[in-house]
Amino acid sequence: MVDTINVRSEKTHTASSASQGTITPHTRPSNCLPSFVRSIMSSVVEISDEPGQPPALSALSLAQTSKDSKAKEQVITPFDVSGGVDEQGKPVAIDYDKLIDRFGSQRIDKAILARFERLTGKPPHRLLRRGMVFSHRDLNLVLDKYEKGVPFFLYTGRGPSSNSMHVGHTIPFEFTKYLQDAFDVPLVIMLTDDEKFLHSPKLSLQECRRFALENALDIIAVGFDVKKTFIFADTEFIYSDHGAAFGFNILEMAKKTTNNQIKGTFGFNDTNNIGEFAFPAIQSATSFASSFPFIFGHNTKAVNKIPCLIPCAIDQDPYFRQCRDNAPRLGLMKPALIHTVFLPSLRGSESKMSASDTDSSIFLNDTDNQIKKKVGKAFSGGQDTREEHERLGGRTAVDVPFQYLTFFLEDDERLEHIRQQYESGKMQSGEMKATAIKELQAYVAAFRERRKAVTPEIREEFMRPRQLIFKSMPLVEEQVTAIQERRRMVLRELTLLDEGLARLLANGEAS
Ligand code: TRP
């Protein structure tokens, strides 16, 4: 009998990076959901998103309920992403379609793709076209306002749990960059070193801070525009004087968040530390433009009308369901969301992609040779013998190298051609692997080049609280006043420092 309850009974979770996952691949280059976005999971629990309390994780757990089977539920939470197992004990793919039903979000459909094309004047990003960006909440509301000239801002983030990021981590960021470029909007990127510290039994605060700074370099190398992007690490920003407005919003959100809500949304229990209970208010508070007066201005009433759009991997949804539930109680707008799927593990569905399992994923600092070796060993959908392959054809639905091509190969026609060749048995799995190796090497090499150019000075500029430059910036007048005020404060601080120094020197001479 399978445990259908997905609430952790003990503190067994680790600080696994929330943006990575276990998947079985089966994508197809089409405008609909990839088939890996469509498989498994049958038991549907009615979930109402809002109003009222967010659905409990227990209700959201993707359990298979048949008796005496080897079946194991899938788990999709910010702290654990692992695929399920079917009744015969075989791993199964994450069913993103069912996730949509259970989480109560909306599908990205053809109408939305057409809308993107109309608004941006360009074909939608390949991740949109191919269904890797598959679900949303209130995206249409944000786009309605945008069409009427009301700007929005983008918010995304990363929990810095390790030094190096893998190619899967770049997926939501690459999509975010596309949105920033296409809509010319400001972006805030949150590095939750506090979250990773609180949730990890092993990591020290210093380590998490260091990871945050390291990861910032990788994130910048995705290609964000410094004029429109503010990156911050929680442990630094929250406690700085520029973080005061953010701190206020955190407190407001914390006051509206009960322990019951957190237990229901995240499955925490009384053994979780109080920092873990408090953290969701921090991740939520970034959704409000008034947390960043240096970007959006000091007119709080006007600033609170700026909508927020959050591109994120689907595992982050519980945080924002919680946020959306509480925001109206603070008189604030609910953030809109747009969800991405996870990049499949190189091992196929059998195991979870993990930063600590170096053979499960391709890291952004892997060499060409490492990429070749890893993809060479990747799970293949090819048949056992050459003859059989020619007769039956390859299975693109489970072929990891093909899955990677659907994520990283830009050319739709070429992708479709490869799919046909493989499925008809004309292309062998060796050739499929060679093609994927070439594409991934090119993707990582391009990243490597951009990464080389990112200096600590550039990072410092991204992380400096400052006015960003975008389509509908706050009035110049308001910016001038804010800068003048800040200047007065800095001058006053300098005077005090000079006085202190003079006193110290005078004392030193006297003794
Ligand atoms: N909690 C996320 C993680 O562990 C980091 C994060 C914070 C985030 N805010 C976000 C991710 C907004 C996506 C969107 O990775």
Side-chain angles (χ1 to χ4, degrees):
M1 179 67 192
V2 169
D3 181 12
T4 55
I5 305 296
N6 175 33
V7 176
R8 293 171 303 153
S9 55
E10 285 300 333
K11 269 204 63 173
T12 51
H13 65 288
T14 58
S16 66
S17 167
S19 345
Q20 60 195 22
T22 313
I23 294 334
T24 331
H26 330 282
T27 347
R28 228 160 243 233
S30 71
N31 277 350
C32 51
L33 291 179
S35 46
F36 76 82
V37 166
R38 273 186 253 123
S39 21
I40 57 164
M41 292 175 325
S42 41
S43 49
V44 178
V45 181
E46 276 310 308
I47 302 296
S48 66
D49 174 25
E50 53 238 356
Q53 296 278 341
L57 265 197
S58 52
L60 294 172
S61 72
L62 311 174
Q64 312 263 330
T65 46
S66 54
K67 271 188 193 153
D68 302 325
S69 76
K70 297 202 177 90
K72 228 175 79 193
E73 65 191 278
Q74 303 190 106
V75 182
I76 311 284
T77 79
F79 315 106
D80 193 4
V81 175
S82 50
V85 172
D86 72 11
E87 289 171 19
Q88 283 79 46
K90 273 202 354 221
V92 279
I94 290 176
D95 184 335
Y96 290 99
D97 249 358
K98 287 273 164 55
L99 267 184
I100 289 179
D101 292 342
R102 290 179 176 224
F103 283 11
S105 60
Q106 285 111 47
R107 241 168 221 91
I108 299 278
D109 55 16
K110 287 214 172 104
I112 290 186
L113 294 190
R115 196 163 189 201
F116 265 98
E117 181 139 16
R118 214 172 48 242
L119 283 173
T120 64
K122 276 184 258 160
H125 193 275
R126 67 174 190 282
L127 295 169
L128 268 170
R129 298 199 297 271
R130 297 179 192 160
M132 282 82 163
V133 178
F134 72 107
S135 149
H136 73 94
R137 294 181 190 277
D138 284 348
L139 177 64
N140 277 316
L141 291 185
V142 172
L143 297 181
D144 287 347
K145 288 194 179 167
Y146 181 80
E147 272 183 319
K148 291 191 191 119
V150 182
F152 63 91
F153 79 102
L154 292 164
Y155 156 34
T156 193
R158 152 139 180 99
S161 55
S162 67
N163 242 337
S164 44
M165 287 168 54
H166 55 63
V167 287
H169 292 136
T170 65
I171 299 291
F173 284 111
E174 203 194 313
F175 182 61
T176 304
K177 172 182 154 49
Y178 153 79
L179 292 173
Q180 177 180 62
D181 292 345
F183 293 99
D184 187 14
V185 285
L187 160 68
V188 294
I189 300 177
M190 175 186 216
L191 301 169
T192 54
D193 49 358
D194 50 354
E195 177 192 20
K196 291 298 140 182
F197 169 66
L198 290 166
H199 278 273
S200 163
K202 285 198 213 100
L203 292 175
S204 74
L205 198 47
Q206 292 317 321
E207 277 170 310
C208 294
R209 289 181 74 125
R210 196 163 48 74
F211 291 157
L213 289 178
E214 276 292 310
N215 289 178
L217 298 170
D218 283 350
I219 292 167
I220 291 166
V222 170
F224 294 108
D225 183 344
V226 68
K227 294 195 293 303
K228 293 187 245 176
T229 310
F230 172 54
I231 302 179
F232 66 94
D234 285 352
T235 60
E236 184 182 293
F237 178 56
I238 297 174
Y239 309 101
S240 70
D241 53 2
H242 272 109
F246 183 40
F248 289 174
N249 279 337
I250 292 171
L251 279 174
E252 295 280 3
M253 187 46 96
K255 190 172 180 174
K256 289 282 178 283
T257 309
T258 65
N259 282 343
N260 264 343
Q261 278 185 333
I262 298 293
K263 286 179 179 178
T265 307
F266 299 100
F268 292 174
N269 60 42
D270 289 347
T271 68
N272 283 85
N273 67 57
I274 61 170
E276 288 173 312
F277 271 87
F279 174 76
I282 300 177
Q283 180 149 333
S284 290
T286 310
S287 319
F288 309 120
S290 56
S291 294
F292 310 99
F294 48 89
I295 300 176
F296 300 106
H298 295 258
N299 180 346
T300 312
K301 220 169 145 204
V303 170
N304 277 335
K305 297 212 174 87
I306 303 172
C308 173
L309 174 62
I310 306 172
C312 60
I314 186 70
D315 62 329
Q316 294 299 304
D317 191 68
Y319 275 119
F320 299 116
R321 276 203 302 272
Q322 169 89 54
C323 173
R324 285 166 56 86
D325 237 51
N326 285 344
R329 296 182 200 147
L330 294 170
L332 294 170
M333 261 183 317
K334 295 175 183 184
L337 294 160
I338 185 159
H339 299 125
T340 59
V341 302
F342 309 102
L343 184 71
S345 157
L346 280 171
R347 296 185 189 278
S349 55
E350 264 93 308
S351 64
K352 181 171 169 349
M353 183 195 291
S354 144
S356 53
D357 175 5
T358 47
D359 275 353
S360 76
S361 42
I362 289 165
F363 288 88
L364 291 165
N365 57 5
D366 276 351
T367 61
D368 281 357
N369 212 15
Q370 282 170 312
I371 295 173
K372 190 172 162 194
K373 271 204 203 132
K374 287 183 186 181
V375 179
K377 283 192 281 183
F379 186 83
S380 166
Q383 306 295 345
D384 287 346
T385 65
R386 190 175 190 96
E387 291 67 40
E388 236 175 73
H389 190 89
E390 277 165 9
R391 190 163 53 84
L392 301 168
R395 294 160 299 158
T396 50
V398 295
D399 193 273
V400 171
F402 180 74
Q403 297 309 313
Y404 277 54
L405 286 175
T406 65
F407 276 84
F408 297 106
L409 178 64
E410 186 60 50
D411 187 336
D412 286 347
E413 272 174 38
R414 217 182 126 213
L415 185 65
E416 181 55 19
H417 179 72
I418 291 171
R419 189 179 66 77
Q420 282 172 13
Q421 293 290 102
Y422 197 58
E423 287 182 351
S424 66
K426 288 193 196 106
M427 181 191 271
Q428 294 283 333
S429 58
E431 198 184 330
M432 176 66 88
K433 283 185 173 170
T435 313
I437 287 167
K438 244 177 92 195
E439 274 317 308
L440 276 161
Q441 284 173 339
Y443 185 84
V444 172
F447 178 86
R448 203 183 295 135
E449 279 311 300
R450 294 194 302 270
R451 176 68 175 73
K452 259 194 238 156
V454 184
T455 59
E457 289 72 35
I458 291 176
R459 175 180 61 198
E460 213 171 289
E461 184 58 13
F462 270 96
M463 297 185 79
R464 188 170 68 84
R466 68 210 183 282
Q467 175 65 63
L468 300 180
I469 297 164
F470 49 95
K471 232 191 227 160
S472 340
M473 282 163 40
L475 297 174
V476 172
E477 216 178 299
E478 203 196 321
Q479 291 174 52
V480 170
T481 323
I483 291 177
Q484 279 171 343
E485 182 143 329
R486 179 95 197 113
R487 191 169 178 279
R488 262 199 303 279
M489 278 166 62
V490 172
L491 285 178
R492 167 105 186 102
E493 179 73 19
L494 270 181
T495 315
L496 289 174
L497 284 175
D498 281 345
E499 283 171 14
L501 200 58
R503 244 195 329 271
L504 275 176
L505 289 174
N507 282 350
E509 272 161 28
S511 62

